[in-house]
């Protein structure tokens, strides 16, 4: 059994898709959900799937507390699914090539500090892009700059608002993220 741990900051719809996808799996186990937000919807979702949770402070993320907690679950992969804080260097160093993130646009465009969630879709919409998409990538010490694992595009010409773009991109995330995680873990 390969353990994965999920970091999320908000509603956790991607985390939910991942927990659901691996619910009956004999090879992949979602061992822990971590969040910096005590009000995050992802906490209820984890409870529904009987996945343990940890709520932590920014200080605990940077002082080694979160790293020690993660290590206790022996993860093969650390998955950032809508995690909005800078990921700490000590966890990246402890799990080289084993921390991944999903970004709701086609990196290297529309990434970097402050580019998350609706901010990304607003910028894409304002620039009248014909396409957006998702990027699943390794996490390094710079926001949104790690090597790309997988990208998928979606036509957004007919979207009338950033919210419409966000719905199209989120549907793509839900469709592809669990499968890409599985392929990374099982080496298909
Ligand atoms: C997702 O669209 C994810 O790509 C994005 O936050 C959303 C979280 O939704 N992440 C970023 O913008 C990271 N820079 P969710 O909580 O419903 O999964």
């Amino acid at each position: 059994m390969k353990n994965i741990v999920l970091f999320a900051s908000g509603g956790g719809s991607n985390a939910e898709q991942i927990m659901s996808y691996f619910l009956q799996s004999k090879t992949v186990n979602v061992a822990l959900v971590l969040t910096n937000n005590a009000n995050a919807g992802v906490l209820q979702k984890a409870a529904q799937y009987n996945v343990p949770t940890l709520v932590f402070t920014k200080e605990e993320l940077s002082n080694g507390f979160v790293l020690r907690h993660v290590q206790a679950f022996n993860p093969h992969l650390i998955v950032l699914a809508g995690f909005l804080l800078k990921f700490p260097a000590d966890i990246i160093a402890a799990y080289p090539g084993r921390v991944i993130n999903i970004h709701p646009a086609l990196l290297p465009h529309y990434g970097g500090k402050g580019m998350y969630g609706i901010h990304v879709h607003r910028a894409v919409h304002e620039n009248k892009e014909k396409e957006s998409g998702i990027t699943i990538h390794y996490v390094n010490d710079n926001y949104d700059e790690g090597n790309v694992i997988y990208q998928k595009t979606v036509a957004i010409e007919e979207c009338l608002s950033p919210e419409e773009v966000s719905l199209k991109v989120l549907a793509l995330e839900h469709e592809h993220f669990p499968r890409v995680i599985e392929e990374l873990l099982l080496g298909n």
Side-chain angles (χ1 to χ4, degrees):
M1 194 59 115
K2 292 188 170 169
N3 280 341
I4 63 176
V5 300
L6 309 180
F7 281 77
S9 298
S13 72
N14 276 286
E16 182 175 26
Q17 288 295 316
I18 295 164
M19 290 186 284
S20 163
Y21 187 88
F22 293 117
L23 190 59
Q24 311 281 3
S25 173
K26 292 186 171 55
T27 45
V28 177
N29 173 47
V30 181
L32 180 67
V33 166
L34 302 100
T35 183
N36 58 303
N37 176 3
N39 299 315
V42 73
L43 289 169
Q44 279 137 31
K45 288 177 177 146
Q48 281 164 18
Y49 287 88
N50 289 317
V51 174
T53 55
L54 178 74
V55 180
F56 58 84
T57 63
K58 241 179 167 174
E59 196 195 336
E60 287 168 337
L61 183 62
S62 58
N63 71 9
F65 173 83
V66 173
L67 170 61
R68 286 194 296 281
H69 205 92
V70 163
Q71 281 170 328
F73 287 82
N74 194 24
H76 280 74
L77 199 64
I78 296 173
V79 177
L80 312 190
F83 185 63
L84 304 182
L85 297 181
K86 183 98 165 48
F87 206 64
D90 62 347
I91 305 184
I92 298 170
Y95 294 93
R98 288 199 277 159
V99 184
I100 69 169
N101 178 48
I102 191 158
H103 187 78
L106 298 169
L107 293 175
H109 306 292
Y110 302 105
K113 195 170 194 304
M115 285 301 253
Y116 58 87
I118 196 70
H119 302 287
V120 175
H121 304 303
R122 214 170 272 142
V124 167
H125 186 69
E126 273 169 14
N127 282 348
K128 302 192 175 15
E129 298 284 0
K130 292 190 167 61
E131 281 190 332
S132 190
I134 62 172
T135 304
I136 298 167
H137 64 94
Y138 290 106
V139 173
N140 67 14
D141 290 336
N142 299 320
Y143 270 113
D144 301 327
E145 288 184 13
N147 287 344
V148 171
I149 298 163
Y150 179 81
Q151 287 186 307
K152 182 87 180 173
T153 59
V154 63
I156 55 163
E157 275 169 299
E158 284 162 22
C159 291
L160 298 174
S161 67
E163 287 73 21
E164 281 185 33
V165 177
S166 111
L167 288 178
K168 284 210 159 188
V169 171
L170 198 61
L172 266 195
E173 297 188 32
H174 294 169
E175 185 183 347
H176 296 285
F177 201 16
R179 178 185 58 74
V180 170
I181 291 168
E182 184 175 47
E183 286 175 10
L184 273 177
L185 285 166
L186 305 181
N188 296 330

